[in-house]
Amino acid sequence: MAASPLREPEGEPSAAALDRETAESLARTLRAIADPTRLQLLSLIRRSPNAEATGGELADRLRLTQPTVSHHLRIMVDDGLLVRDQRGKHAWFSVAAERAAEIDDLLR
């Protein structure tokens, strides 16, 4: 008789399943980073001096238009992956402090 797929094997510790709120949050983050351009942007920001960059710098580095880069940055800001800091006429982007370790692990 086959074991039930939902039953924990005997002798193994039980791992708690994700609650709905955690699963929805994780799904949003996965959607936010499930794009090659967004992964490149995260990588460039983390490896930039002071771990921050302007949208213009990022557009130049990736040879993309400013509106395209702004779209991708907005998605990551909305998810809480990035922080936007307006300084004069330039917007600077950095990885949110509470998400930095998570992003660094992802980019390894």
Side-chain angles (χ1 to χ4, degrees):
M1 182 172 177
S4 167
L6 297 177
R7 184 179 298 159
E8 295 292 328
E10 288 188 37
E12 292 188 24
S14 175
L18 292 175
D19 61 70
R20 187 63 183 194
E21 184 178 338
T22 302
E24 288 175 358
S25 176
L26 180 57
R28 272 191 307 276
T29 296
L30 291 172
R31 279 192 300 272
I33 63 171
D35 181 279
T37 299
R38 292 182 205 134
L39 290 171
Q40 286 182 297
L41 289 167
L42 286 170
S43 177
L44 285 170
I45 291 168
R46 288 303 288 164
R47 287 162 179 79
S48 293
N50 300 321
E52 62 181 2
T54 66
E57 291 171 336
L58 295 166
D60 290 345
R61 292 284 306 274
L62 293 179
R63 295 187 174 140
L64 295 172
T65 65
Q66 181 74 38
T68 297
V69 170
S70 293
H71 165 76
H72 288 294
L73 292 169
R74 183 188 50 77
I75 288 170
M76 292 188 290
V77 167
D78 289 349
D79 184 64
L81 289 169
L82 295 180
V83 173
R84 183 181 186 277
D85 180 30
Q86 188 71 37
R87 297 184 210 153
K89 64 180 185 170
H90 296 289
W92 289 81
F93 295 88
S94 60
V95 171
E98 64 275 7
R99 308 288 294 272
E102 173 186 355
I103 296 304
D104 289 345
D105 285 345
L106 176 72
L107 295 174
R108 275 188 215 162

